[in-house]
Amino acid sequence: MSLLPADLREALTQARLNALGARSIHGIGERVSRDKGAGLEFADHRGYQPGDDMRHLDVSVYSRLRQPVVRQFHPERQLDVVLLVDGTASMDFGTPNKFVFATRVAAGLACAGLAGSDRVTVGVVGSGSLQASRRFSGTHRFHELSAWLEEREPSGHLDLEEALEVALPQLPTEGLLIIVSDFLSERSDAGLATLAAHGPQVVAIQVLDTGEIDPDLREGDVRMVDSESGSMLELAVRDDVLQRYREELDRFQRELRESLASFGNHFVPLRSDASLRSVFLHDFVREGLLR
């Protein structure tokens, strides 16, 4: 099974990931660096020094001011992109399955990153560990990256804060970190705050099933079981309970967005039944994640 339809994969090779403030510091790529050196985009002038490349002398400035100056440019670099998918048991839920949808989202963003000459790593957190791929560069490596993701399966309990603590030593201190999760852990905000202090630009993509967004429950007593911990909750379902649930979900998402924004990071909510084409070519463009 291919994670992405061929026509969508082709469209994503024409898209690019926005850095959203992340620094590109490696190799040679398409990203304009904040540094100055050899490149294509003009940055500034500075006075000529013995040994400078004469080809960089600005003849027009010299003809006007009789001062030898050289042109400096912003070099083009590669951006480190890490895509982490929540592989805990709570993601193995819904129709379509949240974990499968999340891996497709990660694959599509990886495709755009590879097309833009970025250095892309994908990982899955769950069962107390981080499974990380090798680092990929170039669109010709997409099939290898996609195959790696297809082999992952969700399992185990690991709240987001624990997961990010496990992953932290292997994450870059520069670059773009995209996390695809339901963020239903009690300490999601603490984990994201830890990441913000670590350094990379963070994008949190929340994937929820339609039943989690708007539960379709009949009135009466129900027994709910946590898919990760196995704990049970007896609940009397009434209209006011469902309304309070929806209000709490709205509050949770709003606070998560505000918490991320306070660190200059980003929050993007998705439904697992959303059209992938609409997600990539409309939602992510609107949110500024793709261009």
Side-chain angles (χ1 to χ4, degrees), residues 4 23 84 106 142 154 166 179 186 200 234 243 249 265 276 285:
L4 296 176
R23 289 191 65 195
L84 288 186
F142 175 75
V166 169
I179 309 169
E186 293 181 2
E234 300 283 351
Q243 179 59 29
L249 178 61
N265 297 316
L276 281 176
V285 172

Side-chain angles (χ1 to χ4, degrees), residues 28-239:
I28 300 175
E30 296 185 5
R31 305 280 179 181
V32 176
S33 171
R34 300 174 192 174
D35 301 325
K36 295 176 183 178
L40 296 177
E41 184 170 310
F42 175 76
D44 200 358
H45 286 105
R46 66 166 173 80
Y48 172 80
Q49 297 175 2
D52 282 339
D53 190 332
M54 298 295 290
R55 291 173 298 179
H56 294 162
L57 277 172
D58 195 318
V59 179
S60 62
V61 172
Y62 181 78
S63 65
R64 294 197 314 272
L65 305 178
R66 294 300 173 182
Q67 293 180 352
V69 296
V70 294
R71 291 170 293 180
Q72 291 183 291
F73 300 86
H74 290 294
E76 294 179 331
R77 300 293 192 217
Q78 292 174 300
L79 179 69
D80 267 330
V81 179
V82 177
L83 291 140
L84 288 186
V85 177
D86 183 346
T88 55
S90 72
M91 292 290 287
D92 191 16
F93 175 78
T95 306
N97 182 275
K98 288 194 297 182
F99 180 75
V100 172
F101 183 81
T103 58
R104 289 173 173 167
V105 168
L109 292 173
C111 183
L114 293 174
S117 300
D118 295 324
R119 306 197 313 175
V120 180
T121 305
V122 289
V124 175
V125 288
S127 298
S129 65
L130 166 66
Q131 301 176 63
S133 75
R134 55 163 293 173
R135 183 179 290 124
F136 297 98
S137 295
T139 53
H140 64 289
R141 307 309 297 269
F142 175 75
H143 291 290
E144 186 180 347
L145 181 151
S146 180
W148 187 93
L149 271 175
E150 285 186 75
E151 293 174 357
R152 305 307 114 187
E153 294 183 356
S155 64
H157 167 68
L158 187 70
D159 70 39
L160 186 63
E161 186 178 33
E162 291 176 306
L164 296 178
E165 286 178 356
V166 169
L168 203 58
Q170 300 180 55
L171 298 178
T173 56
E174 303 277 0
L176 183 64
L177 173 61
I178 302 173
I179 309 169
V180 191
S181 170
D182 55 18
F183 295 103
L184 295 182
S185 164
E186 293 181 2
R187 299 186 294 172
S188 294
D189 55 344
L192 292 171
T194 300
L195 275 183
H198 184 62
Q201 188 75 30
V202 178
V203 178
I205 300 176
Q206 184 182 45
V207 174
L208 293 179
D209 176 70
T210 55
E212 293 168 327
I213 297 171
D214 190 14
D216 184 17
L217 297 175
R218 297 180 181 179
E219 289 195 15
D221 295 335
V222 298
R223 176 180 295 173
M224 307 184 77
V225 181
D226 188 296
S227 60
E228 294 184 6
S229 67
S231 60
M232 290 186 294
L233 173 67
E234 300 283 351
L235 183 66
V237 177
R238 301 188 304 272
D239 285 343

Side-chain angles (χ1 to χ4, degrees), residues 2-15 111 275-277 280-281:
S2 175
L3 291 177
L4 296 176
D7 62 332
L8 179 56
R9 188 170 66 248
E10 178 62 28
L12 288 171
T13 61
Q14 306 304 313
C111 183
S275 156
L276 281 176
R277 190 171 188 86
F280 288 113
L281 304 185

Side-chain angles (χ1 to χ4, degrees), residues 20-21 188-189 192-193 195-197 200-205 252-269 287:
L20 300 173
S188 294
D189 55 344
L192 292 171
L195 275 183
Q201 188 75 30
V202 178
V203 178
I205 300 176
F252 171 72
Q253 290 181 316
R254 182 175 62 256
E255 291 181 354
L256 192 57
R257 182 188 292 274
E258 291 172 354
S259 176
L260 284 159
S262 69
F263 293 102
N265 297 316
H266 305 267
F267 174 72
V268 182
E287 294 286 347

